[in-house]
Amino acid sequence: MNKSAILHIPMSQYAFGLDEKTVVIRLRTAAGDLQCCNLYYGDRACRKTPVEFTKIEMRRLYTTEDFDFYEAIIENCYKRLCYYFELIDEKESLLFYGDQFEHETVDDRSEYFQLPFNHRADIVSVPEWAKHAVFYNIFPDSFATGKRFISGKSTEKEWNGEITRGLLGGTIKGITENIDYIKGLGANAIYINPIFVAGEYHKYDLLDYYHIDPCLGTNEDFAELVAKCHNEGIRVVIDGVFNHCGWRFFAFDDVVRNGEKSRYRDWFYGLKFPVIRPDDPEAYPNYECFGYERLMPKLNMENPETKEYFCNVGKYWIENFHIDGWRLDVASEINDEFWREFRNTVKKANPEVLLIGEIWESANHWLDGTMFDSSMNYDFRRHCKRFFAEEKDDAARFNERVVNMLTRYRSQTIQVQLNVLDSHDVSRFLSVCGESIENYKLALLFQMTFPGMPMLFYGDECGLTGIIEKDYRRPMQWNKKMLLTDYIKTLISLRISHEALQVGNFEVVAAKQNSRVYKYRRCLKKENILVVINMDNNMVSLNSSEMNGTVLLSEKLLDGKIGGKGFAVISE
């Protein structure tokens, strides 16, 4: 038995409550190592000694080249658990508890793994609506000036003596006038990049957190947008830039003018007096910034005044404009205490508000239910890039990456990960695919049939391309032939029509080495939907049981065979 591969972490994604009566327990082992894995659990607070244990045979949930992942779901569970594992291979049977391998049980219940109390407050709870969301991401300056129109013209406005700029003419009214277009695609949620008063066109160098940038419109325009979205059944999530502000933000301006005497000196990180705004964009400023960007001084969220100010910002847009969520910029660089207080503040205003952290790496630390509901799943893009765009990974290697995404968080969290192929910070995925429509379509199919919230970036549906920033943020091409619009509409409709594709379990059916055919199944109650993706150039045959189902959607499927770069979605 390969003991070094065995992993269990109490009170984590390996042991958590789904609700107050249901607990999930997981175990990782070496691939193909065990013949059987059993879970024994008992009431850690019972008055009998020894504890009476109940046995459950664990289900092998996923298999990769290196590991097997086992899972048991305990229903009508004790609130206080002690538990251990029985591991059986061809040669021996071992017990695993307290991070040790043993041959027999003990009377002392404290030596076993523990879930001290399956407490309501510790159970990760995410907004129900988010489990069914399909997002359309809008970069406001680039999207629309009016109905099916963007001017492409730069703008300048004055705000309290400061100049704000737009580059391409997009406005809030432009979004409002095209909500019918977004609804027509099938999206039921929008995420809008920053819209508050800021100096540059991207609006990440903020001057005022309580007003819409005048280049984009007014607070009244935004209220109208949210109302129209809600009337059309579309949720609205906006960008919260709280890691840093703009260098003309009132508090930083006061620090520059008044130096160490400024009442706002503790609002910022790493100030060295006198604070100087350098003219040279390549200069290293004498204050902490977002990266080394002099226009964006870093805020100090440990300071009680700063923390209170930005928690109030979070609450203000929920209470007064009824937004449905915040996407939180540079979330991993802000201290945990602030995020916990921010969550408590905005969830009191509306418990169904969705909080999405911009975290490019594994976000487990922030997804324990005390900070965010979700994160931007850039790993999803990275893994799809290797399999669909670059064609570097075979199905087995791709599956390892997929299983990692499915097992690193609690089940509730997996359902609301924001699965990203494109965003305002990365090259267009179609460009990464070498502008291969076939490859891109298969990546989109995977995105729309994978657990989590799929997100389109404006213009994906008309085949926008771009490797560098000015290109991947180019204006929406309203007059361009919509190369992928019908296909994307069909995918979204498929997802929304089948609850299994939204919240069903994910089962891997086939993912072999030296093959580029990936098969998986989404299962919910009596609904099973099989997806077969053929990234090979050769044809692949479906077996007889697969052909017995109803084909919901396919390309290059003929006489039970899928051609190269084709697919089939089958209701079994």
Side-chain angles (χ1 to χ4, degrees):
M1 191 177 298
N2 184 352
K3 298 177 183 177
S4 63
I6 295 170
L7 177 67
H8 176 73
I9 307 170
M11 300 180 70
S12 73
Q13 72 272 28
Y14 281 82
F16 58 92
L18 277 179
D19 54 47
E20 290 185 74
K21 295 183 178 180
T22 310
V23 168
V24 177
I25 304 291
R26 294 172 176 167
L27 181 77
R28 190 193 74 186
T29 70
D33 202 26
L34 300 186
Q35 291 182 325
C36 183
C37 180
N38 297 314
L39 171 72
Y40 289 80
Y41 70 93
D43 182 354
R44 72 188 292 266
C46 74
R47 296 177 178 179
K48 295 181 179 179
T49 300
V51 175
E52 294 182 359
F53 284 94
T54 300
K55 175 183 174 182
I56 296 181
E57 183 174 347
M58 300 187 75
R59 178 172 70 100
R60 188 163 59 183
L61 189 63
Y62 300 115
T63 295
T64 67
E65 185 176 349
D66 296 321
F67 300 114
D68 285 337
F69 294 86
Y70 289 87
E71 181 180 271
I73 299 177
I74 310 171
E75 297 178 334
N76 298 314
C77 188
Y78 306 116
K79 287 193 179 297
R80 307 165 182 85
L81 279 182
C82 57
Y83 58 97
Y84 65 91
F85 303 94
E86 181 184 32
L87 314 175
I88 303 170
D89 68 5
E90 294 179 349
K91 297 180 180 179
E92 61 181 333
S93 174
L94 287 176
L95 305 181
F96 179 50
Y97 56 84
D99 288 332
Q100 303 294 322
F101 296 94
E102 306 289 352
H103 289 282
E104 57 187 24
T105 59
V106 294
D107 289 343
D108 186 350
R109 65 192 70 183
S110 68
E111 292 193 27
Y112 297 110
F113 290 117
Q114 309 286 322
L115 197 162
F117 196 94
N118 184 29
H119 203 290
R120 180 188 312 121
D122 296 329
I123 295 168
V124 170
S125 177
V126 299
E128 184 63 29
W129 66 264
K131 300 174 185 177
H132 309 280
V134 177
F135 272 88
Y136 189 85
N137 176 201
I138 297 169
F139 195 75
D141 180 68
S142 302
F143 184 61
T145 311
K147 193 173 183 70
R148 312 295 193 270
F149 164 74
I150 184 165
S151 71
K153 297 178 181 179
S154 62
T155 54
E156 283 193 1
K157 301 283 186 179
E158 184 177 322
W159 183 263
N160 292 339
E162 300 293 341
I163 299 298
T164 77
R165 298 171 183 83
L167 183 64
L168 297 172
T171 63
I172 298 297
K173 279 187 175 294
I175 300 173
T176 304
E177 292 181 17
N178 289 285
I179 288 302
D180 63 322
Y181 171 81
I182 295 169
K183 185 177 181 180
L185 287 175
N188 55 18
I190 58 173
Y191 152 47
I192 312 174
N193 291 104
I195 53 178
F196 304 148
V197 182
E200 299 301 319
Y201 80 98
H202 51 68
K203 306 305 167 194
Y204 282 96
D205 58 329
L206 279 101
L207 303 176
D208 186 328
Y209 287 82
Y210 284 94
H211 291 90
I212 302 298
D213 189 283
C215 291
L216 298 176
T218 66
N219 285 20
E220 291 73 23
D221 293 340
F222 183 65
E224 181 184 352
L225 169 61
V226 176
K228 183 165 185 177
C229 285
H230 287 172
N231 286 339
E232 298 294 342
I234 295 173
R235 303 278 181 164
V236 180
V237 173
I238 62 175
D239 218 320
V241 186
F242 305 141
N243 173 69
H244 54 270
C245 60
W247 70 351
R248 301 291 181 183
F249 180 58
F250 78 92
F252 192 74
D253 194 57
D254 191 86
V255 166
V256 173
R257 288 187 289 105
N258 296 313
E260 294 184 70
K261 296 180 180 179
S262 171
R263 61 160 296 189
Y264 300 107
R265 58 172 295 173
D266 293 331
W267 280 47
F268 299 94
Y269 248 97
L271 300 179
K272 295 180 181 177
F273 295 99
V275 175
I276 299 171
R277 299 184 182 108
D279 293 328
D280 182 0
E282 300 300 320
Y284 286 87
N286 65 346
Y287 47 88
E288 195 75 46
C289 299
F290 165 62
Y292 296 102
E293 176 48 68
R294 75 197 200 289
L295 298 177
M296 302 180 188
K298 182 175 174 60
L299 292 155
N300 176 22
M301 291 302 184
E302 293 176 62
N303 178 44
E305 284 189 4
T306 320
K307 182 166 54 177
E308 181 181 13
Y309 179 90
F310 285 99
C311 284
N312 286 337
V313 169
K315 181 173 63 172
Y316 174 81
W317 291 93
I318 295 166
E319 291 181 340
N320 293 280
F321 294 85
H322 312 296
I323 64 166
D324 300 287
W326 286 97
R327 178 268 191 188
L328 301 160
D329 190 55
V330 201
S332 57
E333 294 189 20
I334 299 178
N335 57 303
D336 296 351
E337 181 187 2
F338 170 74
W339 286 133
R340 292 190 178 104
E341 188 158 335
F342 183 85
R343 179 187 180 88
N344 289 338
T345 299
V346 300
K347 292 284 185 176
K348 284 179 183 176
N350 180 1
E352 286 297 292
V353 161
L354 178 67
L355 299 180
I356 307 169
E358 187 208 12
I359 299 164
W360 289 62
E361 61 273 19
S362 175
N364 212 334
H365 173 77
W366 294 272
L367 296 174
D368 64 351
T370 67
M371 289 181 267
F372 311 138
D373 302 306
S374 170
S375 65
M376 296 187 74
N377 191 0
Y378 276 104
D379 276 351
F380 181 88
R381 170 190 163 84
R382 283 191 281 268
H383 302 335
C384 286
K385 179 181 176 183
R386 289 182 173 90
F387 186 64
F388 294 107
E390 300 171 342
E391 302 190 52
K392 291 180 177 179
D393 283 354
D394 63 12
R397 183 72 180 104
F398 179 59
N399 185 57
E400 286 185 28
R401 301 180 190 278
V402 168
V403 169
N404 175 266
M405 288 193 291
L406 292 169
T407 56
R408 67 186 180 183
Y409 306 137
R410 292 162 173 82
S411 303
Q412 306 95 307
T413 304
I414 295 297
Q415 293 181 333
V416 296
Q417 284 295 285
L418 189 63
N419 294 331
V420 174
L421 286 174
D422 282 326
S423 81
H424 70 288
D425 278 331
V426 293
S427 301
R428 293 275 180 170
F429 200 81
L430 180 56
S431 293
V432 178
C433 288
E435 300 194 21
S436 167
I437 295 292
E438 287 184 326
N439 291 37
Y440 185 40
K441 288 174 76 173
L442 292 179
L444 287 167
L445 171 68
F446 183 68
Q447 182 188 36
M448 291 294 171
T449 56
F450 190 71
M453 305 181 299
M455 186 184 85
L456 298 167
F457 192 38
Y458 80 95
D460 283 347
E461 68 277 13
C462 50
L464 287 193
T465 56
I467 295 295
I468 61 175
E469 182 179 296
K470 71 179 182 66
D471 291 332
Y472 57 72
R473 296 181 186 177
R474 69 179 60 186
M476 176 69 172
Q477 297 185 21
W478 291 106
N479 297 322
K480 183 176 180 178
K481 182 180 179 181
M482 300 294 187
L483 290 175
L484 293 158
T485 300
D486 290 342
Y487 178 71
I488 285 173
K489 284 182 180 180
T490 300
L491 289 182
I492 295 175
S493 176
L494 178 72
R495 181 181 180 89
I496 290 176
S497 300
H498 296 275
E499 196 173 8
L501 293 178
Q502 300 168 58
V503 296
N505 294 328
F506 186 97
E507 297 180 359
V508 182
V509 177
K512 297 179 181 178
Q513 290 183 338
N514 302 316
S515 167
R516 292 182 52 75
V517 178
Y518 193 56
K519 298 183 183 182
Y520 54 95
R521 182 180 289 117
R522 299 296 305 277
C523 306
L524 183 69
K525 300 174 184 176
K526 295 182 180 180
E527 185 178 37
N528 295 329
I529 296 178
L530 175 71
V531 181
V532 182
I533 295 176
N534 182 13
M535 272 297 296
D536 271 333
N537 292 316
N538 303 318
M539 299 192 78
V540 58
S541 297
L542 299 176
N543 61 43
S544 57
S545 64
E546 292 167 347
M547 285 305 299
N548 285 336
T550 300
V551 177
L552 301 175
L553 186 65
S554 69
E555 284 195 1
K556 301 187 179 181
L557 173 63
L558 182 64
D559 297 330
K561 295 182 179 180
I562 302 175
K565 306 294 174 67
F567 68 86
V569 181
I570 301 168
S571 178
E572 297 180 310

